[in-house]
Amino acid sequence: MLFLGTNDKDTNKPVFTQDEAMEKARDILIRRFGGYTIQEAHGGWIDNGKVFQEYTLIIYLSDTTPELVHDAAAEMVETFHQSSVLIHANETTTEFYTP
């Protein structure tokens, strides 16, 4: 699971509109993984007494490798002008069940 913020790392202002951010993330994910699930979220924090809000994309991936995830995260960091992308990794088993 990846948590991709969409505020500029230097200005804390949105890099893209929400629709543009979603489209750019989809383009990266479909090209690199062939599939994805994205959930929209809104986060906030206080920095030096100022409150910031951020549109965040939560990206679910399966059947991939840490190296492929890191490569995609590096592209997202550049595209979205981020300091980092939060990666939450767990060992899972994926099954497309058809009775």
Side-chain angles (χ1 to χ4, degrees):
M1 187 169 15
L2 307 175
F3 291 82
L4 173 63
T6 61
N7 283 3
D8 183 278
K9 68 178 181 163
D10 297 323
T11 67
N12 278 321
K13 297 193 189 290
V15 176
F16 305 109
T17 67
Q18 290 183 10
D19 288 341
E20 290 169 335
M22 180 67 78
E23 184 177 326
K24 295 221 182 263
R26 285 178 181 157
D27 289 345
I28 292 168
L29 295 166
I30 202 72
R31 181 170 30 83
R32 289 186 171 270
F33 300 104
Y36 58 85
T37 300
I38 297 178
Q39 190 171 32
E40 297 174 286
H42 297 273
W45 69 96
I46 295 177
D47 188 13
N48 292 324
K50 185 172 180 181
V51 176
F52 292 95
Q53 300 291 320
E54 183 170 38
Y55 174 67
T56 301
L57 299 175
I58 302 170
I59 300 160
Y60 298 89
L61 300 168
S62 61
D63 300 325
T64 188
T65 66
E67 294 79 17
L68 292 173
V69 172
H70 288 159
D71 289 345
E75 183 176 353
M76 291 175 192
V77 164
E78 184 177 329
T79 300
F80 288 85
H81 202 240
Q82 299 295 295
S83 296
S84 62
V85 172
L86 175 64
I87 300 171
H88 181 90
N90 289 317
E91 297 260 344
T92 61
T93 302
T94 302
E95 174 185 359
F96 290 95
Y97 175 76
T98 304

